[in-house]
Amino acid sequence: MTSTGQDSTTNRQRRSRHNPHSPSHNSSVISKRGVKKGAVPRSSPSLAEVKKKGRMKKLSQAAEQDLIMGLQELDLNLEPKALSGTGLVFEEQLNEFHCLWDDSFPECPERLHAIKEQLTQEGLLDRCISFQARSAKKEELMLVHSLEYIDLMETTQYMNEAELRILAKTYDSVYLHPNSYTCACLASGSVLRLVDAVLGAKVRNGMAVIRPPGHHAQHNLMDGYCMFNHVAVAARYAQQKHDIQRVLIVDWDVHHGQGTQFTFDQDPSVLYFSIHRYEHGQFWPHLKASNWSATGFGRGQGYNINVPWNQVGMRDADYIAAFLRILLPVALEFQPQLVLVAAGYDALQGDPKGKMAATPAGFAQLTHMLMGLAGGKLILSLEGGYNYRSLAEGVSASLHTLLGDPCPMLESPGAPCLSARTSISCTLVALKPFWEVLMQSAETLEEDCVEKDKEEGPWEPPVPQIMAWPMLCARTGLVYDRRMMNHYNLWDNHHPEMPQRISRIMCHLEGLGLTERCLTLPARPATDAELLTCHSAEYIARLRATENMKTRELHREGANFDSIYICPSTFTCAQLATGAVCRLVEAVLAGEVLNGTAVVRPPGHHAEWDAACGFCFFNSVAVAARHAQAISGHALRILIVDWDIHHGNGTQHIFEDDPSVLYMSLHRYDHGTFFPMGNEGASSQIGQAPGVGFTVNVAWNGPRMGDPDYLAAWHRLVLPIAYEFNPELVLVSAGFDAAQGDPLGGCQVSPEGYAHLTHLLMGLANGRIILILEGGYNLTSISESMAACTRTLLGDPPPLLGPLRPPLSGALASISETVHVHRRYWRSLRIRKVEDKEEEPSNSELVTKKEPQPANPGSAKGMARPEENILEAGMGKATSASPVEESIPGQAKSEIATVELAKDKSLEVATGGAMLDQTTSEGPVGHTKLASCTDSQTPPSSPVQGTTPYIFPSNLIESLRTLDLSNKTQKAPDSQTPEEKLLGEAAGGQDLDDSKLMGFGDTDEATFYAVTPLPWCPHLTAVCPIPAAGLDVTQPCQDCGSLQENWVCLSCYQVCCGRYINAHMIQHHEDLGHPLVLSFVDLSTWCYHCQAYVHHQALLDVKNLAHQNKFGEDMPRPH
């Protein structure tokens, strides 16, 4: 661990841009030095020169004074001021409507009465900034709804009860009142009021406590208690009035918000995420469009996300897993500028409609996660919730979180159940083609290393949780002492672990006004009793003896350890650093502060039981953990997250047999060659009994790891395990040597990235989290990074991240390796790849139109109707459902397949009269061509319940009887290794089992195999122009000379053999990273990064040229 520790040129330039008057570290050091011995002194200026300078200064004084006055009027603080305050709209007038003919109707004024009582009791109304509701204007409602529909709703003000009842019966699960229209307009306007407040920088976030709900309302249709779609109108309003480009809508109501989905399912500017009860279509609204396979249409494909729950009793762990594995990664890639939440609370335990088992504390967690997006611009709009107590507590929990209160601990978080993991896996499969961050999102599960999941027993509701919100005098504690700078290297002034590390951090915190926002705590030395919990008495005495050693003896003693220097003040400074952290632990556990930051040195996580190591003497984090357990009186569950770029070998060894402390480290390993060297930091190091599974190492095997890689580890590994462990205290070994510009780490984590990592950890342990400085040797990087983390601890929203690249393949490999090792210990990691097995509807299930039917409005929504036909509306494209595709390269090719149309006449009607060309176009041998259908045309409107659904021509694949393959497909050789099966054909990929289609009809003869190519992939830009020499499909492999199963790279046009020969094309991809290759056998195109076949206009030229070369004629085109 040797380095000069100087700031990089890039960081010097960045610093000078932000503050041109502040010198770099190097210049500040030089300026403090005296004149060097032997330097030539400067000569004194002559009298004439002095007079000339005086005249110039006098002439410029007036201009200088003007400049000074102008600068005084400017705000030179370049740091953005964090918004504060939570807006609340609560309008009593919204209670002035109810069901005139059914007093027991669930959507009733008592819902808001219960909420107001709860918020008043907890003092939340006074803590929020109140905004008066306003009515949405017609032109605002017309952003989503038709004028004819709005006018019809307006006329309900003048109808009598009989007329209202007749009109209500033409819709599903609604009632009407003379005040319904006025209240619905007020409800929509309330959300718009908050949009203006949040985007106008008046408040940070907000909540609209409104009724009636809105997310079921469609373009020209009332549905499910809803008249106008409040969040949909708000999204369009934000785009139109505030020029917002990207909006995320999260719908956690237990019912699917089909109205919102249908509004945006062709729009890539709005990402819609819904997590809801589905039960295979048996739960209201009984739509196939509510399943995971509905991903959107056209340009909006991939921007519609459904996570369907297929059983009741889903708990907090299930919802949290869906957010971590799907929503947060996709949202960070989408980068929303505003987050709107359709906040229904009917998934809470006790709700008569939802029958789920989520808790208010769980919804606080979900709210907290969303606060890390869009710079904290978050608005919740009340939807459902029909158990008054649960509803009131759920709204209260979300509002507490919006106000910055810590999330309550989950009583029994556990891990997601098997049904939840299956739903999450299916959704990941459907979304994989559209989001780079999900390209390698689910690892295959090897049954021999994981105990098979036991089927969950009968669901038993948990004991209701009594939540307590801490009352704190201060939020964030800060501990620092200048005396810790007395530890320094006597022989090397440029050693990276220099005293200026902590002074520069503190100067930066003071300059940003962060220290005055914190409660400064006095540091104290650690006692011997505290040190003895993690270090031997002999070692402590040995280190204490260095206080009286001479310089030569100190040098000799330091050389006895690995990467250590010692000076006379070392023992005192190390003792003070450790004691400072213990003091901060005391303050957090006593409730003096919620969280804290320890700016201390020397660092500690390398220090062993009986040895100093890697700049570290006493293991401050370990001692603090033991101190926390001692003062709490029991084995407090403690999570230690170590994001220092070096593995914390000392911390790992101290706790490796202790299941009360979960140690998770993310570090550079480089196959054992990165400090501290050896295999201690390998993913295979998992602890010792009884602590097996409580040591988790993510071992990076190279440099350049950045925000996307660490966030991927957080979402896929760190947080799932952490929530399952459910810590009571979180300690972070916060080394910042993985930061951009660090001379030792070689990585690229930004201050904004560290802020997001901190924010996500703050949802744990009731917010009790302490950051302890470890490494970090670029003074600018550590100052900015610690400031970003401290600001987040203080409750400021994490800053926006810049455009994120996909996680590096090496990073994903490291994460997957650790996941593979720890699956047997943590059920939350058992998200498996599943086959795309969504059941095809029988012909009798296809319906042409669902006429409005009289219904009991109080009982239809939320009740299963198994005999009712399921509307086939809003289905995603074939890429996200059971697919049909080109043949698979490297296998025996089948004859041209014949397409057999469904014989049910309702198919033609259901598609609006669209006809399928029943002829097939003969293409290259082995290609299966469907009828020439195009999806370029835009449907007149999105499919809506109660109207004729429009189905894209490409979606007629869903209604095909099957592909009757005339020849059975030859299976891959039995000698294939597991590794080869995971690799696909060209790149390795699709095994036959992943391509199974259910056969229809009475036959039970064959299992059919087919796959649908992606219509687009993000790597098409890698296709380079065809060389002037053209293509030669008979060209041998450049590496082995094979003439069989060759592929051509579409980036460099080198020819290599496929995996069944010598796999040289796979090696070519791994060496150069070129994504797309073309088969000389059947002219199919494979993308390694997408792990899928691709067929796109950009590939037609090279395919046609290969076809001419192979067959002597142009490739047939669809008619």
Side-chain angles (χ1 to χ4, degrees), residues 137-153:
K137 302 173 184 177
K138 273 193 178 182
E139 54 267 31
E140 293 167 342
L141 296 174
M142 287 172 60
L143 294 171
V144 171
H145 302 285
S146 70
L147 178 60
E148 295 78 11
Y149 171 66
I150 298 170
D151 288 342
L152 174 62
M153 294 299 104

mmCIF file of all heavy atoms in Angstrom, residues 137-153:
data_model
loop_
_atom_site.group_PDB
_atom_site.id
_atom_site.type_symbol
_atom_site.label_atom_id
_atom_site.label_comp_id
_atom_site.label_asym_id
_atom_site.label_seq_id
_atom_site.Cartn_x
_atom_site.Cartn_y
_atom_site.Cartn_z
ATOM 1 N N LYS A 137 -59.262 22.167 -13.912
ATOM 2 C CA LYS A 137 -59.993 22.753 -15.024
ATOM 3 C C LYS A 137 -60.284 21.680 -16.072
ATOM 4 O O LYS A 137 -59.606 20.654 -16.136
ATOM 5 C CB LYS A 137 -59.181 23.882 -15.649
ATOM 6 C CG LYS A 137 -58.821 24.988 -14.656
ATOM 7 C CD LYS A 137 -57.872 25.999 -15.292
ATOM 8 C CE LYS A 137 -57.434 27.056 -14.289
ATOM 9 N NZ LYS A 137 -56.456 28.013 -14.864
ATOM 10 N N LYS A 138 -61.273 21.963 -16.913
ATOM 11 C CA LYS A 138 -61.621 20.986 -17.942
ATOM 12 C C LYS A 138 -60.448 20.701 -18.863
ATOM 13 O O LYS A 138 -60.195 19.551 -19.238
ATOM 14 C CB LYS A 138 -62.817 21.489 -18.766
ATOM 15 C CG LYS A 138 -64.170 21.147 -18.177
ATOM 16 C CD LYS A 138 -65.280 21.385 -19.191
ATOM 17 C CE LYS A 138 -66.624 20.990 -18.599
ATOM 18 N NZ LYS A 138 -67.730 21.169 -19.577
ATOM 19 N N GLU A 139 -59.722 21.763 -19.249
ATOM 20 C CA GLU A 139 -58.593 21.544 -20.149
ATOM 21 C C GLU A 139 -57.502 20.706 -19.501
ATOM 22 O O GLU A 139 -56.746 20.007 -20.184
ATOM 23 C CB GLU A 139 -58.022 22.864 -20.648
ATOM 24 C CG GLU A 139 -57.630 23.846 -19.560
ATOM 25 C CD GLU A 139 -58.757 24.817 -19.232
ATOM 26 O OE1 GLU A 139 -59.938 24.433 -19.359
ATOM 27 O OE2 GLU A 139 -58.435 25.962 -18.839
ATOM 28 N N GLU A 140 -57.409 20.761 -18.173
ATOM 29 C CA GLU A 140 -56.450 19.909 -17.474
ATOM 30 C C GLU A 140 -56.925 18.460 -17.461
ATOM 31 O O GLU A 140 -56.140 17.539 -17.697
ATOM 32 C CB GLU A 140 -56.242 20.437 -16.058
ATOM 33 C CG GLU A 140 -55.554 21.794 -16.018
ATOM 34 C CD GLU A 140 -55.620 22.476 -14.668
ATOM 35 O OE1 GLU A 140 -56.473 22.086 -13.838
ATOM 36 O OE2 GLU A 140 -54.831 23.409 -14.439
ATOM 37 N N LEU A 141 -58.194 18.244 -17.192
ATOM 38 C CA LEU A 141 -58.734 16.887 -17.233
ATOM 39 C C LEU A 141 -58.646 16.302 -18.630
ATOM 40 O O LEU A 141 -58.458 15.088 -18.804
ATOM 41 C CB LEU A 141 -60.188 16.887 -16.757
ATOM 42 C CG LEU A 141 -60.428 17.300 -15.300
ATOM 43 C CD1 LEU A 141 -61.927 17.390 -15.017
ATOM 44 C CD2 LEU A 141 -59.763 16.330 -14.340
ATOM 45 N N MET A 142 -58.753 17.156 -19.639
ATOM 46 C CA MET A 142 -58.702 16.680 -21.025
ATOM 47 C C MET A 142 -57.306 16.216 -21.435
ATOM 48 O O MET A 142 -57.134 15.656 -22.519
ATOM 49 C CB MET A 142 -59.177 17.782 -21.974
ATOM 50 C CG MET A 142 -60.697 18.021 -21.923
ATOM 51 S SD MET A 142 -61.207 19.478 -22.861
ATOM 52 C CE MET A 142 -60.644 19.027 -24.506
ATOM 53 N N LEU A 143 -56.315 16.438 -20.592
ATOM 54 C CA LEU A 143 -54.995 15.865 -20.857
ATOM 55 C C LEU A 143 -55.053 14.345 -20.853
ATOM 56 O O LEU A 143 -54.186 13.678 -21.441
ATOM 57 C CB LEU A 143 -53.995 16.350 -19.807
ATOM 58 C CG LEU A 143 -53.672 17.844 -19.822
ATOM 59 C CD1 LEU A 143 -52.847 18.219 -18.591
ATOM 60 C CD2 LEU A 143 -52.929 18.225 -21.094
ATOM 61 N N VAL A 144 -56.082 13.781 -20.191
ATOM 62 C CA VAL A 144 -56.235 12.327 -20.085
ATOM 63 C C VAL A 144 -57.615 11.867 -20.563
ATOM 64 O O VAL A 144 -57.738 10.836 -21.213
ATOM 65 C CB VAL A 144 -55.989 11.859 -18.635
ATOM 66 C CG1 VAL A 144 -56.350 10.386 -18.458
ATOM 67 C CG2 VAL A 144 -54.542 12.109 -18.222
ATOM 68 N N HIS A 145 -58.644 12.633 -20.248
ATOM 69 C CA HIS A 145 -60.014 12.197 -20.512
ATOM 70 C C HIS A 145 -60.614 12.953 -21.695
ATOM 71 O O HIS A 145 -60.209 14.081 -22.010
ATOM 72 C CB HIS A 145 -60.871 12.404 -19.262
ATOM 73 C CG HIS A 145 -60.367 11.685 -18.060
ATOM 74 N ND1 HIS A 145 -60.496 10.323 -17.900
ATOM 75 C CD2 HIS A 145 -59.703 12.132 -16.954
ATOM 76 C CE1 HIS A 145 -59.947 9.959 -16.747
ATOM 77 N NE2 HIS A 145 -59.457 11.041 -16.158
ATOM 78 N N SER A 146 -61.611 12.338 -22.322
ATOM 79 C CA SER A 146 -62.274 12.973 -23.467
ATOM 80 C C SER A 146 -63.250 14.040 -22.970
ATOM 81 O O SER A 146 -63.814 13.940 -21.880
ATOM 82 C CB SER A 146 -63.024 11.932 -24.292
ATOM 83 O OG SER A 146 -64.151 11.438 -23.585
ATOM 84 N N LEU A 147 -63.465 15.063 -23.806
ATOM 85 C CA LEU A 147 -64.389 16.127 -23.450
ATOM 86 C C LEU A 147 -65.806 15.579 -23.296
ATOM 87 O O LEU A 147 -66.545 15.996 -22.391
ATOM 88 C CB LEU A 147 -64.363 17.225 -24.517
ATOM 89 C CG LEU A 147 -65.327 18.395 -24.295
ATOM 90 C CD1 LEU A 147 -65.039 19.101 -22.974
ATOM 91 C CD2 LEU A 147 -65.241 19.379 -25.467
ATOM 92 N N GLU A 148 -66.193 14.642 -24.150
ATOM 93 C CA GLU A 148 -67.535 14.075 -24.062
ATOM 94 C C GLU A 148 -67.746 13.390 -22.712
ATOM 95 O O GLU A 148 -68.802 13.523 -22.085
ATOM 96 C CB GLU A 148 -67.753 13.071 -25.198
ATOM 97 C CG GLU A 148 -67.750 13.665 -26.588
ATOM 98 C CD GLU A 148 -66.339 13.973 -27.099
ATOM 99 O OE1 GLU A 148 -65.353 13.529 -26.455
ATOM 100 O OE2 GLU A 148 -66.224 14.654 -28.129
ATOM 101 N N TYR A 149 -66.725 12.673 -22.252
ATOM 102 C CA TYR A 149 -66.825 11.981 -20.960
ATOM 103 C C TYR A 149 -66.901 12.988 -19.817
ATOM 104 O O TYR A 149 -67.711 12.845 -18.891
ATOM 105 C CB TYR A 149 -65.630 11.048 -20.787
ATOM 106 C CG TYR A 149 -65.510 10.440 -19.408
ATOM 107 C CD1 TYR A 149 -66.461 9.540 -18.938
ATOM 108 C CD2 TYR A 149 -64.452 10.776 -18.569
ATOM 109 C CE1 TYR A 149 -66.349 8.981 -17.673
ATOM 110 C CE2 TYR A 149 -64.328 10.222 -17.311
ATOM 111 C CZ TYR A 149 -65.278 9.325 -16.863
ATOM 112 O OH TYR A 149 -65.177 8.780 -15.609
ATOM 113 N N ILE A 150 -66.060 14.024 -19.864
ATOM 114 C CA ILE A 150 -66.074 15.038 -18.811
ATOM 115 C C ILE A 150 -67.432 15.724 -18.758
ATOM 116 O O ILE A 150 -68.002 15.952 -17.680
ATOM 117 C CB ILE A 150 -64.947 16.062 -19.042
ATOM 118 C CG1 ILE A 150 -63.571 15.371 -18.979
ATOM 119 C CG2 ILE A 150 -65.002 17.182 -18.003
ATOM 120 C CD1 ILE A 150 -62.421 16.249 -19.433
ATOM 121 N N ASP A 151 -67.977 16.061 -19.936
ATOM 122 C CA ASP A 151 -69.299 16.706 -19.980
ATOM 123 C C ASP A 151 -70.376 15.788 -19.393
ATOM 124 O O ASP A 151 -71.285 16.253 -18.683
ATOM 125 C CB ASP A 151 -69.653 17.079 -21.416
ATOM 126 C CG ASP A 151 -68.828 18.260 -21.923
ATOM 127 O OD1 ASP A 151 -68.256 18.995 -21.089
ATOM 128 O OD2 ASP A 151 -68.737 18.436 -23.155
ATOM 129 N N LEU A 152 -70.287 14.505 -19.682
ATOM 130 C CA LEU A 152 -71.256 13.560 -19.133
ATOM 131 C C LEU A 152 -71.173 13.534 -17.614
ATOM 132 O O LEU A 152 -72.190 13.548 -16.916
ATOM 133 C CB LEU A 152 -71.015 12.159 -19.706
ATOM 134 C CG LEU A 152 -71.873 11.034 -19.108
ATOM 135 C CD1 LEU A 152 -73.358 11.288 -19.374
ATOM 136 C CD2 LEU A 152 -71.443 9.683 -19.689
ATOM 137 N N MET A 153 -69.943 13.491 -17.084
ATOM 138 C CA MET A 153 -69.786 13.490 -15.639
ATOM 139 C C MET A 153 -70.304 14.794 -15.029
ATOM 140 O O MET A 153 -70.877 14.803 -13.933
ATOM 141 C CB MET A 153 -68.312 13.294 -15.262
ATOM 142 C CG MET A 153 -67.750 11.922 -15.631
ATOM 143 S SD MET A 153 -68.604 10.555 -14.792
ATOM 144 C CE MET A 153 -69.615 9.906 -16.132
#
